[in-house]
Amino acid sequence: MTTASLPAPRSRITSGGFDIRALAEQLETRVDGEVRFDAGSRAAYSTDASNYRQVPIAVVLPRTIEAGVATVAVCHDLQVPVLSRGGGTSLAGECCNEAVIIDWSKYCNRIVSVDASARTAVVEPGLVLDDLNRALASVGLMFGPKPATHSHCTIGGMIGNNSCGSSAQAFGKTGDNVRRIEILTYDGERIWVGPTTEAEFSRIIAAGGRTAELYRGMRQLAERYAADVRRVFPDIPRRVSGYAIDALLPENGFDVARALIGSEATLVTVLRAELALVPKPAASSLVVLGYPSIEDAADDAPRMARFDPLIIEGMDDTLVSNEQVAHDNSDAIGWLPEGKGWLIVELPGEDAREARDRAQRLAEEVAGRPDAPVSRVFGDPEQQRKIMRVREAGLGAAALRTGRPDAWAGWEDAAVPPDLLGDYLRDFGRLLDEFDYHDVARYGHFGHGCIHCRIPFDLTTAEGIAHYARFIEAAAHLVVSYGGSLSGEHGDGQARGGLLPIMFGDRVVRAFEELKDLFDPGNRMNPGKVVRPHSPTEDLRLGVGYDPRIDVKLNFSYPQDGGDFAHAALRCVGVGNCRSHTGDVMCPSYRATGEEEHSTRGRARLLFEMLQGRYRDGPITDGWRSTHVHDALDLCLACKGCKSDCPVDVDMATYKAEFLSHHYAGRLRPASHYTMGLLPLWARLAHLAPGAVNALTHTPGVSRLGKRLAGIEPDRPVPRFATKRFTDGFRSTAPRPPARHGDVLLWPDTFTNNFHPAVADAAVAVLEDAGYRVLVPPGGLCCALTWISTGQLTAARRILKRTAARLRPALRTGTPMVVLEPSCAAVFRSDAPELVAGDSDIDLVRRRTVTLAELLDGTDDWTPPTIGKTAVVQPHCHQHAVLGVAADERVMARADIRATSLEGCCGLAGNFGFEAGHLDVSLAVAEHALLPAVRGAAPADVILADGFSCRTQVEQAGEGRTAMHLAELLAAGISGTPLGDLPERAASARPGPDQHLPRHRILYRERV
């Protein structure tokens, strides 16, 4: 096992009275896992997606279920609180505590068994829902409930919260889909539980021991409170609040598993679960209906249930407006029918035709009503995915709203009888107005009467917090008056635990307390949540003590955050999309490591703690000099995937550059910052004698020593400098005559100009074929990319201002500037305006910068060559995040390039993959999609990658394959190069054997 930052012998007791040294020693001796007491890990787990913050005592990542059992045993022996955690996306505070946190997600994520005939699967608690359903797809089955966090929520977390999601309309809550669970009590009793027959109950009681004590106590509790439970438990689809002691009633089969599901790790630890599976729908169609208001949509939702849909989701115009302002999901929003409130109804079918016919029948039936909504039917799976993304992006879109106060969780999850939902929403709207909470987006699972929202609570002043407390109490009374539940799927935790007497009354709450005492008499299982909870206004992540200190002059302008880096660090709302293992780009380092600290969310948590730690008794007390923050950011590839994939647009690449600039201010930097960070300067020197430089950097022994001194990974080959730069050859040719479309400036970036000049040569051929006269800027200019990525921001600003001033004469006439390297184009379009804010020259560069595909896509009279090739395409991460790929897709389609675009990062990511210590992570990232696709490509297929880093990763780790820029492929088609020769073309001269990674490193296949 490993133990991070074992506390010193004198640091034995925490404020909670726990012997930390003894705890660390026992965990080290008895647990097979990663045990962490360091400040960075504790900071990363200090909060979930809620308003609450409690710094844990330690974090344990058990490698096996048995190691998790041993962790609980150690905590029991020392009477230390313990908290089981899944994806950490809870909105009510149930996944943060001053306890030992057990994170099952990294290692205990296996499918133990699948019985397709019985439609069951046994799984470990850390298994991600989408991973399970991908594995089950081959047998046509799936786990029914599907929360919006399906790409990263764990089965254990779903069991802890009794999660639901949109598909609960058809398949019910998690508790309805679990047959049995294997549980562990705090005092070590380990048993499988589920529905219990009288014969089984009698056998358990006869056997005696702790299990008999638990079953006898549950039976007695059920008998004692049966009348109360039958009277006050609301009979609605989404009752998640409180403990499910109704499952212990005789008419419900004395289902112990069901009684414990949704108990939020306050009663037991879940070790395994036997799940009931359902057939995966063969096809589906969506009907989207537009209404004059969200209340009208809610009124109509019960009628939709008659069509036996998979989902009935609702959303209002405030949510859609928030996404429009943020430029999110623009295509799908444009497809919505007219209205100010919408229902999304998904209907299944045995095939696509049947699904569409069912959807069309629904649309036709509602069209015949006098109050008919406007409807649209979507049968295309990609369109359906994008429409659902509008709804699933609700949490992020409702949280941070440009020009308006931030909105928070705290009352986001109530559920009422579905047939009363419209009236409830009207009353809820009046309550919001009464408390002066405005512009609140409302959305949710309308078929089940469950409403989600985020409200602009003031959680930083005593007056605002008191106002919040009065509001949630009034809201609780409103929900109860409708026969509803305070929570419809997010749980009670700390946000709603103190309100349970309003819903259930004191007597039933006493029953909850008795169940807690039966299973956890010492109150060590996630204490302070659900039962005998801390107040909703305690332990706030913000609170009256929130006082982030920015004691340095910032470099970037942070326009989305009003220039406030503290708000940027607070931007993460904890939804955890960065913990997904598939889709888009974010977050490659998490996908490679499985570490919370190396997710975008984990890094945001550390930055939050860094800015206030020394003033608030936090784990990070050394500010910008923090080694814990540095280490978390060290594995950030600066891919910018989070800038587009995160629902609240966290831009960790920018935050990393800002941090590095202050972390190293006034002191020596790592060697790689002076080598790769200053690459454009070294490249200018190298071009004086490229042959000699190449010989030196590729001579065995000398090369390895030189790379060590330069901070470069010894096993990573250094790319060869071209014998002749593009600019040298271009300027030596005769001037080009005027062309029909006028001039275009071709930016000679460092990578293209010095390493892959053939890309620029190809671009010239394509641009001239399209009717442009190609010019190049004066020599010695740079976009400062490498300075930015290493946090040398003062120099970067100076370089950018000089570059923009020199470009002004050409660009002010309207001449576009084509930038072939996506990372350089992204600097001009995004980083530069934020680093040199308000500079008119920089803004001019931003407006004139285009990619090759963007220019060609807008050239109406240009006909691309017919390529007729299949291509595996690795989009550059910065292109995905900042520039977009739509123009490339259109150009490739016109050129008959049958493209399959890959998700994820290439793993090299500029200087990241070259820096010492990063090679294994770099290759693990590449193994997510790029390298398997390269190995699986047919010999005649083309590998396309516009990014220098992407091409280099393919050439070094692609086992003999090379990649090319789109410009090269188009130029070959224009010149008539035989298409059969294209796969043999490299982006530069074919690399020699010394340009490949050592075989043992190329074969790296597993996560770090």
Side-chain angles (χ1 to χ4, degrees):
M1 70 144 278
T2 58
T3 304
S5 299
L6 194 67
R10 63 179 180 275
S11 304
R12 297 190 65 86
I13 308 297
T14 71
S15 58
F18 311 119
D19 190 334
I20 298 302
R21 185 68 186 182
L23 176 65
E25 290 169 349
Q26 288 290 307
L27 290 173
E28 181 177 11
T29 302
R30 297 165 58 181
V31 175
D32 176 20
E34 299 177 22
V35 180
R36 297 168 182 178
F37 288 82
D38 64 285
S41 296
R42 293 168 60 233
Y45 286 83
S46 62
T47 187
D48 46 17
S50 72
N51 298 329
Y52 301 99
R53 169 186 176 269
Q54 290 172 284
V55 180
I57 298 168
V59 178
V60 177
L61 289 76
R63 289 193 173 88
T64 64
I65 296 296
E66 300 305 321
V69 173
T71 302
V72 175
V74 170
C75 292
H76 173 263
D77 291 348
L78 297 174
Q79 286 298 292
V80 176
V82 67
L83 163 61
S84 271
R85 173 164 155 151
T89 61
S90 298
L91 286 157
E94 54 266 56
C95 278
C96 58
N97 216 322
E98 187 179 353
V100 171
I101 290 183
I102 303 176
D103 182 350
W104 300 93
S105 62
K106 183 174 182 179
Y107 296 115
C108 297
N109 50 25
R110 303 169 187 87
I111 299 175
V112 179
S113 63
V114 175
D115 186 335
S117 60
R119 294 183 180 174
T120 61
V122 177
V123 303
E124 294 180 341
L127 178 65
V128 169
L129 174 60
D130 272 6
D131 291 346
L132 169 64
N133 283 336
R134 269 190 296 274
L136 294 172
S138 62
V139 293
L141 298 173
M142 68 178 192
F143 187 62
K146 186 180 180 181
T149 55
H150 53 85
S151 67
H152 51 284
C153 68
T154 67
I155 299 297
M158 293 177 69
I159 290 172
N161 246 34
N162 198 10
S163 298
C164 307
S166 58
S167 64
Q169 179 72 34
F171 304 117
K173 303 184 290 292
T174 294
D176 303 319
N177 293 270
V178 174
R179 293 194 174 184
R180 300 185 304 148
I181 53 176
E182 185 185 13
I183 63 168
L184 176 71
T185 64
Y186 186 70
D187 55 8
E189 195 73 2
R190 181 176 175 180
I191 48 176
W192 279 90
V193 299
T196 313
T197 66
E198 281 301 313
E200 289 170 326
F201 183 83
S202 298
R203 285 196 298 271
I204 290 169
I205 298 301
R210 175 67 166 139
T211 300
E213 177 187 339
L214 293 172
Y215 273 71
R216 185 183 299 109
M218 286 186 286
R219 171 65 63 87
Q220 292 171 352
L221 184 148
E223 292 172 347
R224 187 160 57 253
Y225 293 101
D228 302 278
V229 170
R230 294 184 180 110
R231 177 174 54 83
V232 304
F233 271 53
D235 184 17
I236 60 175
R238 289 296 188 100
R239 198 279 303 160
V240 172
S241 278
Y243 291 148
I245 54 179
D246 55 328
L248 299 175
L249 298 179
E251 61 265 32
N252 295 323
F254 199 77
D255 190 338
V256 178
R258 181 65 190 84
L260 297 175
I261 291 170
S263 58
E264 303 175 14
T266 62
L267 299 178
V268 296
T269 295
V270 175
L271 303 178
R272 294 183 180 88
E274 181 182 348
L275 309 178
L277 308 176
V278 297
K280 179 179 174 61
S284 68
S285 283
L286 287 184
V287 183
V288 183
L289 304 124
Y291 298 84
S293 71
I294 190 62
E295 292 83 5
D296 293 319
D299 289 336
D300 210 22
R303 301 185 197 179
M304 300 300 112
R306 296 186 291 105
F307 294 88
D308 296 323
L310 296 173
I311 70 169
I312 305 174
E313 297 290 286
M315 58 188 181
D316 69 4
D317 58 331
T318 303
L319 177 73
V320 171
S321 175
N322 289 341
E323 294 191 30
Q324 286 176 314
V325 169
H327 304 291
D328 292 336
N329 306 313
S330 300
D331 288 347
I333 289 173
W335 301 333
L336 296 177
E338 181 181 353
K340 292 188 175 181
W342 293 270
L343 290 181
I344 302 172
V345 184
E346 183 178 11
L347 295 158
E350 291 299 321
D351 54 34
R353 181 174 181 177
E354 181 187 349
R356 188 171 181 86
D357 287 347
R358 290 186 63 188
Q360 200 63 50
R361 283 197 298 273
L362 186 155
E364 291 169 359
E365 182 169 326
V366 299
R369 295 176 358 208
D371 59 344
V374 183
S375 64
R376 288 196 67 183
V377 174
F378 298 90
D380 178 72
E382 181 62 16
Q383 287 186 321
Q384 293 178 52
R385 185 188 69 81
K386 289 184 176 181
I387 289 285
M388 283 306 302
R389 192 163 185 168
V390 176
R391 160 58 191 88
E392 292 179 347
L395 189 154
L400 299 175
R401 306 156 323 152
T402 302
R404 287 177 284 177
D406 295 341
W408 304 97
W411 189 261
E412 78 298 323
D413 192 29
V416 299
D419 58 336
L420 301 178
L421 181 60
D423 288 339
Y424 166 74
L425 279 174
R426 293 178 182 93
D427 283 342
F428 183 60
R430 285 188 280 270
L431 183 66
L432 290 168
D433 289 340
E434 178 186 336
F435 279 81
D436 290 323
Y437 295 134
H438 303 296
D439 298 318
V440 175
R442 294 164 294 170
Y443 56 99
H445 315 295
F446 280 29
H448 275 178
C450 181
I451 293 297
H452 297 317
C453 62
R454 294 178 74 92
I455 300 172
F457 300 124
D458 171 8
L459 299 177
T460 60
T461 69
E463 295 80 5
I465 292 169
H467 195 63
Y468 155 71
R470 289 191 294 271
F471 171 80
I472 61 174
E473 183 173 348
H477 282 290
L478 175 63
V479 168
V480 172
S481 74
Y482 273 88
S485 173
L486 308 185
S487 173
E489 68 178 341
H490 293 161
D492 299 315
Q494 190 168 341
R496 286 174 282 275
L499 302 173
L500 292 181
I502 296 174
M503 176 177 171
F504 291 104
D506 292 338
R507 183 168 166 80
V508 169
V509 169
R510 191 178 311 125
F512 295 160
E513 292 171 349
E514 290 180 18
L515 187 66
K516 168 74 168 175
D517 293 341
L518 177 65
F519 278 88
D520 179 28
N523 192 28
R524 298 302 192 193
M525 298 288 293
N526 202 12
K529 316 294 179 178
V530 186
V531 168
R532 302 186 187 96
H534 295 184
S535 163
T537 59
E538 290 182 76
D539 308 314
L540 290 173
R541 183 154 53 105
L542 300 180
V544 293
Y546 178 64
D547 184 24
R549 308 289 178 88
I550 306 294
D551 53 2
V552 296
K553 182 179 179 181
L554 297 173
N555 292 284
F556 289 96
S557 61
Y558 304 101
Q560 285 187 295
D561 299 286
D564 186 357
F565 182 77
H567 188 267
L570 187 63
R571 177 169 284 274
C572 173
V573 295
V575 69
N577 282 10
C578 48
R579 287 173 54 95
S580 64
H581 290 287
T582 60
D584 294 330
V585 172
M586 178 183 71
C587 171
S589 52
Y590 176 78
R591 290 176 179 175
T593 66
E595 293 281 356
E596 175 73 19
E597 192 172 340
H598 295 304
S599 69
T600 305
R601 181 177 72 178
R603 294 181 179 112
R605 295 292 181 251
L606 266 74
L607 288 170
F608 172 87
E609 294 290 342
M610 178 194 82
L611 292 178
Q612 61 169 2
R614 73 179 78 173
Y615 311 107
R616 200 177 175 188
D617 192 29
I620 308 295
T621 58
D622 45 357
W624 298 98
R625 297 297 199 204
S626 171
T627 56
H628 297 292
V629 178
H630 176 274
D631 291 347
L633 289 169
D634 181 57
L635 291 190
C636 171
L637 284 79
C639 69
K640 287 189 176 288
C642 49
K643 185 176 176 68
S644 60
D645 300 345
C646 172
V648 290
D649 302 325
V650 168
D651 184 1
M652 195 54 64
T654 296
Y655 307 167
K656 176 180 180 179
E658 184 78 60
F659 173 83
L660 290 176
S661 71
H662 304 301
H663 184 75
Y664 288 112
R667 57 179 179 165
L668 196 65
R669 287 173 167 269
S672 62
H673 288 199
Y674 299 110
T675 54
M676 287 173 287
L678 276 59
L679 177 63
L681 297 180
W682 301 120
R684 285 181 214 163
L685 294 175
H687 98 278
L688 298 175
V693 173
N694 290 334
L696 187 65
T697 57
H698 292 84
T699 300
V702 175
S703 170
R704 201 168 185 86
L705 176 61
K707 284 186 283 189
R708 288 189 183 278
L709 294 174
I712 298 174
E713 168 61 43
D715 278 344
R716 174 71 76 176
V718 175
R720 288 181 176 272
F721 288 93
T723 55
K724 186 177 183 180
R725 298 184 306 180
F726 160 72
T727 49
D728 295 334
F730 185 85
R731 291 191 177 105
S732 66
T733 60
R736 268 75 171 171
R740 67 181 184 276
H741 289 309
D743 293 344
V744 63
L745 207 61
L746 183 62
W747 175 256
D749 64 88
T750 295
F751 310 100
T752 302
N753 196 34
N754 292 278
F755 298 101
H756 290 176
V759 171
D761 291 332
V764 171
V766 174
L767 290 168
E768 291 182 342
D769 182 73
Y772 293 95
R773 183 173 70 163
V774 179
L775 307 175
V776 297
L781 301 185
C782 183
C783 72
L785 169 67
T786 58
W787 280 270
I788 294 172
S789 63
T790 53
Q792 300 180 78
L793 301 182
T794 300
R797 187 181 297 105
R798 184 175 62 251
I799 293 166
L800 279 168
K801 293 182 74 169
R802 175 178 177 271
T803 294
R806 295 283 298 278
L807 290 173
R808 184 196 315 127
L811 299 184
R812 69 190 307 176
T813 62
T815 302
M817 183 170 73
V818 171
V819 182
L820 299 171
E821 173 58 41
S823 56
C824 298
V827 168
F828 287 140
R829 293 259 278 260
S830 178
D831 298 280
E834 294 183 24
L835 189 58
V836 194
D839 187 290
S840 59
D841 290 343
I842 291 290
D843 185 61
L844 179 63
V845 173
R846 176 189 64 80
R847 289 185 283 114
R848 295 288 183 264
T849 295
V850 293
T851 67
L852 177 66
E854 287 172 341
L855 185 70
L856 296 175
D857 188 46
T859 305
D860 294 332
D861 64 348
W862 177 68
T863 301
T866 300
I867 302 298
K869 278 286 183 179
T870 298
V872 174
V873 182
Q874 173 66 50
H876 192 285
C877 294
H878 292 188
Q879 183 168 7
H880 167 86
V882 177
L883 310 171
V885 297
D888 296 73
E889 291 171 349
R890 288 191 291 268
V891 168
M892 287 189 290
R894 290 170 59 195
D896 190 23
I897 301 170
R898 298 177 294 277
T900 299
S901 290
L902 305 177
E903 67 178 31
C905 179
C906 75
L908 192 57
N911 57 295
F912 176 85
F914 284 99
E915 289 179 347
H918 289 172
L919 183 56
D920 285 346
V921 171
S922 173
L923 289 176
V925 170
E927 282 296 338
H928 173 74
L930 174 60
L931 295 184
V934 169
R935 290 192 296 269
D941 291 347
V942 177
I943 313 298
L944 278 181
D946 281 3
F948 171 78
S949 293
C950 308
R951 295 194 300 272
T952 302
Q953 187 80 303
V954 171
E955 291 172 6
Q956 294 186 353
E959 302 186 35
R961 297 302 297 262
T962 56
M964 63 195 327
H965 195 287
L966 177 61
E968 293 182 288
L969 186 56
L970 294 174
I974 291 168
S975 66
T977 300
L979 299 185
D981 295 343
L982 289 181
E984 298 303 317
R985 291 171 50 86
S988 60
R990 281 187 65 82
D994 62 347
Q995 288 293 92
H996 298 303
L997 283 163
R999 181 80 178 166
H1000 73 281
R1001 304 309 291 268
I1002 296 175
L1003 293 177
Y1004 185 88
R1005 295 287 181 262
E1006 299 178 358
R1007 286 186 191 167
V1008 176

